[in-house]
Structures are given as C-alpha cells and as structure tokens.
Amino acid sequence: MVAKGQRKVRSDAKKDVKSTLSIELKDAIYRLAFLTNTPVMHVAELLFVHSIKNAEIIDRVATQFQREVLLNGKLYRGTLSNPAVSKQKYDGQTDRIHFRLSRESYEILAVFAYALACSHSKACAVLLEECIHESDFISNYVERHLEDHVSDDYMNELRQFMHYVNKGEEIHSWASLLSYIKDEVKKPFKEVKDLVEDFVIHHWRDK
C-alpha cells in the first residue's frame, strides 16, 4: 500500500547504475554505441547482462571473489587470498558511465559486489571490462544489429565483402567491418541501412 502523497514505484522499474571506468573502457563502449547508432545506456546494459550470464566471464571474475556466493546454480568459494578488486587502481584517466538495469540484473550486481567485497560501481566496471573483450560476442552483436536493420540483399553483399577481406591471414570481425564502412563513407547517416547501401553502391561494387 502506498501512503498518501507518495508515488507508486513500478515493480518493473529499472535501477540507475553509475560506474567509474577507465577512459579506454568508456571509449570502447561509446565506440560500439556509435557504430550501431544505439544509445550508450542500451549498449552498456546489453554488455552487463551478457557478462552476468556468461559462464566463462563469471569464472574469470570469480578468481577475485573474496566471499562465497551461489551464481547460476554454481557455488563459488571466495577467499581473502584472491586479488582484492577494491584495492586495484586505474592507470590513467577515468570517467563515469550511467545506465539502467532491471531489478533482477541489479540484484545480481549486488551479489557480485558482495562476492568481490567492493562497491556496486567497481563490480560493474569489472564485469563490463571482461565483456568488452569478448570479441565473438561483440562481433555477433554487430552482425545481429545489421541483420535487423539492413535488407537481405545488402546483407548478402556485406557477407561477400567479409569473405573477400578474410581471405588473408588476418580475420576481421563484423565490428571492424562496420567501423571500416563508417570510415570509408565519411558521411553522417541516421540509419545504418542508408550507410550500408551507400557503401555497397559507391565503395564495394566499384572496387
């Protein structure tokens, strides 16, 4: 029951998260948001949610757990002999990022903060740092974004281009492809489909 004069809080209301990140990590998240024309808050939430569901990321973060916790049905035995996240300092500049999490995700963040014996902000930064280095996840995210916004014909053109550039020893991801497209076109577009169409017509087919 809500007292008179108080606003009712929705059960599905999201919780604000403010986390201090290395400037390199923040730039990487902003770059991904720029590449996909997606709000930074959405990209940060996506990265965080993936990190708390990915077993490999959790296992890596668990090497720093100070306390015992149960996550995704697995018991992690923390110990004070593990490296303490709370004592780790950033080299160079830092900046804050703000985004929102569902109550469920926020509660899981609280579990990580407890296990790591650190603030919610620090635990969030640790998880985002791990996720941004998951190259397969980032590449798949960009590919899905393109599939959702680009026609089948133009996606086929992009796949042909990817096949062409990946003939050598160096393998390029969908994220690096989209970054390359933006650098090549050099014109602002509100929609990614318009960007891709311009690239295919004026840059790829002309080669």
Side-chain angles (χ1 to χ4, degrees):
M1 185 173 180
V2 180
K4 188 175 181 179
Q6 289 184 335
R7 294 178 59 188
K8 185 177 180 180
V9 179
R10 290 174 47 178
S11 60
D12 62 344
K14 289 194 171 184
K15 300 274 289 181
D16 286 333
V17 177
K18 295 178 181 178
S19 184
T20 300
L21 314 177
S22 68
I23 201 68
E24 292 82 7
L25 175 55
K26 183 181 178 183
D27 285 350
I29 294 173
Y30 270 69
R31 178 65 175 169
L32 185 57
F34 169 73
L35 286 176
T36 55
N37 289 336
T38 305
V40 171
M41 291 180 70
H42 176 76
V43 172
E45 180 184 7
L46 179 87
L47 293 170
F48 178 85
V49 171
H50 175 73
S51 71
I52 61 176
K53 293 181 177 179
N54 184 275
E56 292 183 359
I57 290 178
I58 295 173
D59 286 346
R60 290 199 297 270
V61 174
T63 61
Q64 303 173 85
F65 281 177
Q66 305 287 297
R67 298 169 176 149
E68 182 179 286
V69 290
L70 184 67
L71 283 166
N72 297 339
K74 182 176 179 179
L75 181 65
Y76 291 88
R77 300 188 181 281
T79 172
L80 294 176
S81 62
N82 285 338
V85 167
S86 60
K87 296 180 180 179
Q88 295 174 9
K89 304 295 183 183
Y90 291 112
D91 293 327
Q93 292 182 307
T94 61
D95 203 351
R96 300 192 83 186
I97 193 171
H98 168 242
F99 62 103
R100 307 182 78 192
L101 291 174
S102 67
R103 287 184 175 274
E104 180 183 2
S105 294
Y106 191 85
E107 288 171 0
I108 297 174
L109 171 60
V111 174
F112 274 94
Y114 171 80
L116 291 165
C118 67
S119 66
H120 286 50
S121 171
K122 189 71 171 181
C124 181
V126 170
L127 290 162
L128 291 176
E129 183 73 52
E130 287 291 338
C131 190
I132 203 69
H133 294 294
E134 289 279 304
S135 57
D136 287 343
F137 170 73
I138 300 299
S139 184
N140 290 337
Y141 164 66
V142 172
E143 182 179 11
R144 288 196 306 272
H145 179 81
L146 288 170
E147 288 173 341
D148 289 342
H149 294 85
V150 177
S151 69
D152 291 342
D153 288 341
Y154 282 104
M155 275 304 295
N156 287 335
E157 291 282 351
L158 288 183
R159 289 193 172 94
Q160 288 182 41
F161 182 78
M162 283 286 278
H163 178 73
Y164 171 77
V165 299
N166 282 330
K167 284 183 177 179
E169 293 183 2
E170 185 177 359
I171 302 300
H172 298 274
S173 68
W174 283 95
S176 63
L177 169 64
L178 190 52
S179 179
Y180 172 77
I181 290 174
K182 288 214 170 192
D183 290 342
E184 279 287 298
V185 174
K186 293 184 174 67
K187 288 189 293 185
F189 286 99
K190 290 185 177 180
E191 301 291 337
V192 69
K193 67 180 182 65
D194 298 325
L195 174 72
V196 169
E197 288 175 10
D198 186 281
F199 171 76
V200 170
I201 294 170
H202 300 295
H203 299 267
W204 163 228
R205 287 177 178 167
D206 287 346
K207 289 183 181 294

